[in-house]
Amino acid sequence: MRTAAASRVQITDADFLKFRDFFYRKTGIHFDENKRYFVDKRLVERIAATGAEDFRSYFIGLRFEAGGSELQHLVNAMTVNETYFFREAYQFDCLVNDMLAEVVRRKKPGSRIRIWSIPSSTGEEPYSIAIYLLERWAQIDDYEVEILSSDIDTQVLAAAQRGVYSPRSVSQLPRPYLDKYFKRHGEYEWAISEDLVAAVDFSRVNLSEPADTRRFRDIDVVFCRNLLIYFDDLSRRVAAEAMYDALAPGGFVCLGHSESMSRITSLFGVRRFKDAMVYQKPLAGDSA
């Protein structure tokens, strides 16, 4: 419910453009005009929450805030997170049937395999990866698998680590997996096992910020699905280069079904496996 103070705040065209440019510089996310209602609504809510009188005073405070806490609140409000377990599961099939087979050819038994899921949203994707590996990859016990998952939104990261899900979130899970890895939480929700929560390393990362991505190296597979659709061409290239730098030679990237790395950069080669098309960082000495 909007407060009386919030209902008095107006976001002008000039305000929207100022905010859009600022938010883009900070996050790489670009809002088109068709997102105007959504952006204005969230902005007015944050202006009211901080007690600012109008957009101008709020925006001045936002730009010069030392700690960045209000910017994080704003990021949390502006990002959309909707997903479910086993979404676009054909890529998980490709992971266990083909990609990992190539990854382990370059590794010794007992060595580390790193998989990075970004954005994590509320955790459905990284936990789906963990379940797929446990249930469908015969070599899971032969390697040290590390699952990393990141998001720019601290609220969804907290929800992911809590690990409690609605019936809709788990509706695509085979019933034996639901019974094995979840328990009832209240009348309607499901809580994922503590072992799976402990198996995923969650962290806040802005894919457009080099300082955030620099520590991600020697990654074997990146799942970055349905994120780049919110970026413009420049931000997509920055994100693609960050993933390229994070990957080990020969590592793979999985994008959403409507996204194409080939339209962003020539850094990656295209691999067409039986279950899915993915993108690959060239091995040393190869070219994309």
Side-chain angles (χ1 to χ4, degrees):
M1 181 180 296
R2 291 179 62 170
T3 65
S7 65
R8 293 194 298 268
V9 174
Q10 298 295 320
I11 308 298
T12 68
D13 292 347
D15 295 339
F16 173 75
L17 293 175
K18 283 181 183 177
F19 170 75
R20 184 176 72 174
D21 291 346
F22 170 82
F23 198 77
Y24 169 74
R25 291 195 302 272
K26 293 294 185 180
T27 67
I29 297 172
H30 175 77
F31 292 118
D32 293 326
E33 285 290 338
N34 61 8
K35 298 288 187 182
R36 175 70 187 269
Y37 174 79
F38 169 82
V39 172
D40 284 8
K41 184 175 184 290
R42 298 298 192 273
L43 259 179
V44 168
E45 289 170 354
R46 288 311 310 163
I47 291 170
T50 60
E53 294 183 0
D54 52 26
F55 173 82
R56 182 177 181 276
S57 58
Y58 173 79
F59 192 58
I60 290 172
L62 180 68
R63 289 178 61 199
F64 296 103
E65 180 189 34
S69 61
E70 177 54 27
L71 176 59
Q72 186 61 60
H73 284 302
L74 194 58
V75 167
N76 294 353
M78 291 290 176
T79 49
V80 178
N81 301 278
E82 183 178 0
T83 187
Y84 49 87
F85 283 87
F86 283 25
R87 183 179 185 180
E88 298 180 13
Y90 61 89
Q91 290 183 334
F92 302 141
D93 290 328
C94 186
L95 174 70
V96 298
N97 293 333
D98 293 297
M99 286 187 279
L100 287 177
E102 292 203 6
V103 168
V104 299
R105 285 193 203 117
R106 302 186 292 273
K107 295 181 181 288
K108 297 178 180 178
S111 59
R112 184 174 61 175
I113 293 172
R114 308 188 84 198
I115 301 172
W116 187 19
S117 165
I118 182 169
S120 75
S121 188
T122 44
E124 287 91 335
E125 179 171 278
Y127 292 139
S128 292
I129 293 169
I131 293 170
Y132 243 80
L133 294 177
L134 288 167
E135 293 293 330
R136 303 191 184 185
W137 192 44
Q139 294 178 271
I140 182 66
D141 293 328
D142 297 333
Y143 297 88
E144 179 188 346
V145 179
E146 182 178 6
I147 301 175
L148 312 171
S149 192
S150 308
D151 205 289
I152 196 172
D153 185 334
T154 55
Q155 288 181 336
V156 298
L157 286 169
Q161 291 173 299
R162 181 169 173 258
V164 176
Y165 297 98
S166 69
R168 181 188 178 280
S169 289
V170 301
S171 63
Q172 300 300 312
L173 278 170
R175 185 69 198 207
Y177 295 176
L178 186 63
D179 292 338
K180 184 174 182 178
Y181 295 106
F182 295 77
K183 62 182 179 181
R184 286 284 188 181
H185 186 270
E187 187 175 357
Y188 300 108
E189 294 180 313
W190 293 86
I192 201 164
S193 74
E194 294 180 0
D195 287 343
L196 281 183
V197 173
V200 180
D201 181 4
F202 290 99
S203 61
R204 183 199 175 278
V205 168
N206 180 350
L207 198 53
S208 297
E209 177 51 62
D212 286 0
T213 60
R214 197 171 292 126
R215 60 192 174 89
F216 291 87
R217 292 294 182 268
D218 298 320
I219 305 293
D220 295 296
V221 182
V222 174
F223 283 84
C224 183
R225 308 193 297 180
N226 306 308
L227 173 64
L228 301 184
I229 56 176
Y230 298 104
F231 290 2
D232 70 352
D233 290 344
L234 177 58
S235 296
R236 290 186 188 109
R237 285 195 295 273
V238 170
E241 289 167 5
M243 287 185 272
Y244 183 89
D245 290 341
L247 282 168
F252 297 98
V253 175
C254 297
L255 298 182
H257 70 275
S258 64
E259 299 168 311
S260 171
M261 189 68 81
S262 301
R263 292 198 293 265
I264 301 170
T265 178
S266 60
L267 287 171
F268 297 88
V270 178
R271 294 295 306 278
R272 291 178 173 84
F273 292 112
K274 174 174 63 71
D275 298 302
M277 184 183 76
V278 300
Y279 301 92
Q280 185 174 29
K281 179 176 179 175
L283 290 163
D286 291 343
S287 59

